[in-house]
Amino acid sequence: MPTIVGDGPVLPNTAKKRELVRALTDAAVRVYGLPAPAVVVVIRENPPENVGVGGELLADRGKPKEA
């Protein structure tokens, strides 16, 4: 049973989450040749204040630097 875990930004609504889960499931069904019920998808949403890139929080990008 393949499990796909997607870490990413917060999705704006449940419809977008459904779209993502369907697309990932469809891809796994094609590649693994398994039925869709055998595929598990977990969405982990990360708000910008919880993600850092290059030593900087995503939430701080574009903000003036603090002294």
Side-chain angles (χ1 to χ4, degrees):
M1 176 181 304
T3 300
I4 301 168
V5 179
D7 280 285
V10 176
L11 289 168
N13 56 54
T14 303
K16 286 293 185 186
K17 292 177 187 184
R18 283 188 188 101
E19 183 180 344
L20 178 61
V21 167
R22 173 54 43 210
L24 292 171
T25 299
D26 290 347
V29 165
R30 273 193 321 276
V31 172
Y32 286 106
L34 295 169
V39 179
V40 176
V41 176
V42 178
I43 299 170
R44 293 194 299 208
E45 297 176 306
N46 302 293
E49 64 271 14
N50 290 353
V51 179
V53 176
E56 178 181 34
L57 288 176
L58 292 181
D60 293 338
R61 285 190 168 180
K63 290 183 179 180
K65 302 285 183 200
E66 294 179 9

